[in-house]
């Protein structure tokens, strides 16, 4: 992340408000105006961001300092990079298309669950079940990944 980025101006007012609300959930001592750096991942994921463990570790090291705490200004700087790399629903659709070899617009629910629990930043079976939830609206074992991508982005 560039040191030239001004996190105060890189977010819309609405996004700053959302970030402030997320920050304040973990704010115990308002006079300190800082939160434990260990909560960055929880907050990021609650905002549908998915930083890697390496990114979280780097942010914790960079912003956590000696006391392991992050100020709101540091929090904004940290999230500036993650928010700016958030995927669009089109990015998600394109990723699903790789597994849609028949070009049907669907991916098998079992196959998607297997991918979520075995590739990349692996999810637990419970996390995958929660994410997929009611994605198979027809109960035919297939997920319309265009609709699923839209749902993920809302």
């Amino acid at each position: 992340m560039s040191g030239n980025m001004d996190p105060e101006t890189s977010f819309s007012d609405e996004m700053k408000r959302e970030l402030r609300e997320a920050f304040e959930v973990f704010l115990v001592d308002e006079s300190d105006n800082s939160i434990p750096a260990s909560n960055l991942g929880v907050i990021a994921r609650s905002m549908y961001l998915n930083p890697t463990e390496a990114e979280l570790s780097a942010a914790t090291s960079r912003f956590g300092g000696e006391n392991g705490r992050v100020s709101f200004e540091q929090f904004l700087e940290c999230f500036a990079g993650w928010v700016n790399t958030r995927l669009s629903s089109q990015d998600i659709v394109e990723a699903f298309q790789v597994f849609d070899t028949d070009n049907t617009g669907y991916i098998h629910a079992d196959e998607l669950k297997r991918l979520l629990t075995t590739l990349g930043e692996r999810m637990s079976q419970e996390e995958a079940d929660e994410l997929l939830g009611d994605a198979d609206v027809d109960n035919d074992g297939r997920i319309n990944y265009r609709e699923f991508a839209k749902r993920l982005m809302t």
Side-chain angles (χ1 to χ4, degrees), residues 21-136:
E21 287 173 7
F23 180 84
E24 288 177 352
V25 167
F26 293 91
L27 187 62
V28 177
D29 179 4
E30 290 187 28
S31 67
D32 178 17
N33 196 34
S34 69
I35 62 169
S38 59
N39 289 328
L40 291 173
V42 173
I43 296 170
R45 290 186 178 102
S46 76
M47 298 185 76
Y48 303 102
L49 302 171
N50 196 23
T52 65
E53 289 303 317
E55 289 171 321
L56 287 171
S57 179
T60 300
S61 296
R62 179 174 178 201
F63 298 109
E66 292 178 18
N67 64 1
R69 302 189 66 78
V70 177
S71 70
F72 184 64
E73 292 73 26
Q74 292 169 321
F75 177 82
L76 285 179
E77 187 176 341
C78 179
F79 274 71
W82 296 339
V83 168
N84 291 334
T85 59
R86 185 173 4 193
L87 294 174
S88 71
S89 63
Q90 183 58 37
D91 293 328
I92 295 170
V93 166
E94 288 172 8
F96 282 133
Q97 286 174 329
V98 170
F99 300 100
D100 181 15
T101 56
D102 298 330
N103 248 357
T104 62
Y106 290 87
I107 186 170
H108 289 279
D110 290 341
E111 175 68 3
L112 181 54
K113 183 175 180 181
R114 185 187 69 74
L115 294 169
L116 292 170
T117 58
T118 60
L119 296 177
E121 296 272 331
R122 296 181 181 133
M123 291 184 162
S124 68
Q125 294 288 328
E126 295 78 24
E127 290 170 324
D129 288 339
E130 183 179 332
L131 176 68
L132 296 175
D134 56 358
D136 179 9

